[in-house]
Amino acid sequence: MYSIQPSCWSEHGELTAVMLCAPSCLDVPDLKTAENVQWSAPVLNARAMENFMELKGTLQHAGVKVIDYSTELQGEAKQLSEQLLNRYFVRDLACVFGNEMLPGEAGSSIRRPEYGHAHALLEKWFPKNFQASKETGDVLEFGDVMVLNKDAVLINIGVRTSKQGVDRVKEKLFEAGFTEIGIIDLPRSSDTLHLDMNCNVANEDVVIAKSFMRYFPVYVMTACSTRFDMAEQFFNRHGFEVYWLEKYNTIPDINFLNLNPETLLVSKKATKQQFKNHPLLQKKNIVEIEVTELEKGGGGIRCMTLPLVRKL
């Protein structure tokens, strides 16, 4: 059990505790194998581990408490986990909403074992915060979820998250203190797999988003009513200007992480000039790290980090 008390009310507050997981011990030796496991290119474990250590070290240097759950596994669970290729994409496994932590449910069978491993540890570490649940088939991966602020949560239903999965947790989100849940249904393709491959919070008042999202409505739920907004209206009502990107490299340009209100952690492959082109982002401290080998798995820095505590 850790002395940490999970608490997250935004995507941009100062990050003080995070869960990671080291990559598996396996190489993905050739392009055919990579395609079969839905990765973009072959991956060498040694390089992936170098990337992971740079990510972990950068977070620790910034004063963030880092928990690598792979070091806590034992016996058969440890042996199995070391062969799970996607286990370092911890964002999908669970999410802290306010002071409550809810479990995800895998939208792909290849990922199901790691959910069980992580949930057992989270329940052990945070028994007062983690709300365990049985598998229902109502899938929900938290790469599809953004905690915008103390009032609003945005969720994408698509390849890996179902409407039934949202229904399973919506009452718990209202009980946690959020007043609105926005549901958006984005295209189902490898380039739009999760919400955080389409948009991300870059500042307390700026969301970066792919330009096509402006055409999509958001179904807005409160505890007692429903309505529709367009995506930009939804963000605007909750205090965010939308910075629409016409050109982008999906994973490095969209999938970054807020270290604190002044600092973004980004891939070395990210188009840094896109941040400088927006007046509200020009003073951002941009910290670059090498995660190219890890990105070949189909996700970026946000996918690889599960925030446990962000300061208000």
Side-chain angles (χ1 to χ4, degrees):
M1 184 183 299
Y2 287 90
S3 59
I4 296 167
Q5 293 298 314
S7 179
C8 288
W9 293 97
S10 77
E11 300 286 340
H12 53 78
E14 181 182 352
L15 183 66
T16 62
V18 69
M19 188 175 85
L20 306 180
C21 184
S24 80
C25 64
L26 301 180
D27 291 335
V28 177
D30 50 58
L31 182 58
K32 182 61 176 178
T33 303
E35 291 173 345
N36 284 334
V37 298
Q38 298 184 317
W39 285 22
S40 64
V43 168
L44 292 176
N45 170 260
R47 291 179 185 169
M49 186 59 72
E50 288 175 2
N51 284 187
F52 174 77
M53 294 307 295
E54 183 169 346
L55 169 63
K56 180 179 179 180
T58 301
L59 289 166
Q60 291 174 326
H61 182 72
V64 181
K65 169 69 176 177
V66 175
I67 301 173
D68 175 359
Y69 88 75
S70 71
T71 65
E72 304 280 348
L73 296 171
Q74 298 179 354
E76 292 182 358
K78 177 181 176 64
Q79 185 178 20
L80 173 60
S81 178
E82 288 177 347
Q83 301 174 74
L84 299 176
L85 289 175
N86 297 293
R87 70 175 188 170
Y88 63 93
F89 293 130
V90 295
R91 175 72 63 154
D92 302 322
L93 306 178
C95 186
V96 180
F97 295 95
N99 299 314
E100 302 296 330
M101 178 180 281
L102 301 180
E105 188 159 335
S108 172
S109 61
I110 195 172
R111 300 203 60 190
R112 286 180 64 189
E114 66 202 71
Y115 280 67
H117 293 159
H119 292 170
L121 290 171
L122 291 169
E123 187 173 17
K124 174 184 175 182
W125 297 336
F126 311 117
K128 295 181 180 179
N129 306 88
F130 186 74
Q131 299 188 19
S133 63
K134 295 181 179 179
E135 284 191 13
T136 64
D138 300 331
V139 298
L140 174 58
E141 296 190 351
F142 287 108
D144 274 321
V145 177
M146 288 199 177
V147 180
L148 298 179
N149 53 37
K150 295 186 73 173
D151 294 319
V153 175
L154 181 63
I155 306 176
N156 173 54
I157 56 175
V159 178
R160 298 290 182 85
T161 295
S162 67
K163 178 62 164 60
Q164 292 78 16
V166 177
D167 289 340
R168 176 169 55 85
V169 301
K170 66 180 182 181
E171 294 304 324
K172 294 177 182 178
L173 300 191
F174 293 136
E175 291 170 5
F178 298 92
T179 57
E180 284 193 0
I181 302 171
I183 308 297
I184 195 166
D185 188 350
L186 296 175
R188 290 156 168 78
S189 71
S190 59
D191 198 44
T192 56
L193 182 66
H194 284 136
L195 181 62
D196 61 13
M197 295 178 74
N198 297 279
C199 67
N200 204 348
V201 174
N203 203 48
E204 63 178 359
D205 51 5
V206 178
V207 168
I208 290 180
K210 295 179 179 179
S211 59
F212 77 84
M213 281 185 64
R214 59 162 50 97
Y215 301 106
F216 281 75
V218 175
Y219 180 65
V220 183
M221 298 186 293
T222 71
C224 57
S225 66
T226 61
R227 56 173 289 184
F228 280 99
D229 271 343
M230 296 304 290
E232 186 163 28
Q233 293 172 319
F234 180 77
F235 285 125
N236 290 167
R237 281 198 305 105
H238 291 289
F240 293 92
E241 177 182 336
V242 185
Y243 177 21
W244 298 111
L245 297 184
E246 301 291 340
K247 296 181 179 180
Y248 42 77
N249 186 355
T250 291
I251 292 175
D253 286 353
I254 304 291
N255 207 266
F256 51 81
L257 181 75
N258 290 267
L259 284 180
N260 55 55
E262 293 79 37
T263 309
L264 295 178
L265 183 61
V266 307
S267 167
K268 282 191 174 179
K269 293 180 68 178
T271 309
K272 270 70 70 177
Q273 190 58 40
Q274 73 178 10
F275 301 106
K276 301 303 181 182
N277 287 342
H278 192 285
L280 295 176
L281 302 180
Q282 289 175 351
K283 295 183 179 180
K284 280 284 184 181
N285 179 25
I286 306 296
V287 177
E288 302 175 60
I289 59 172
E290 177 58 75
V291 286
T292 301
E293 202 74 5
L294 295 173
E295 289 174 327
K296 294 175 183 178
I301 292 172
R302 187 180 190 273
C303 300
M304 303 171 201
T305 51
L306 196 171
L308 298 173
V309 182
R310 283 192 184 276
K311 291 183 179 180
L312 287 174

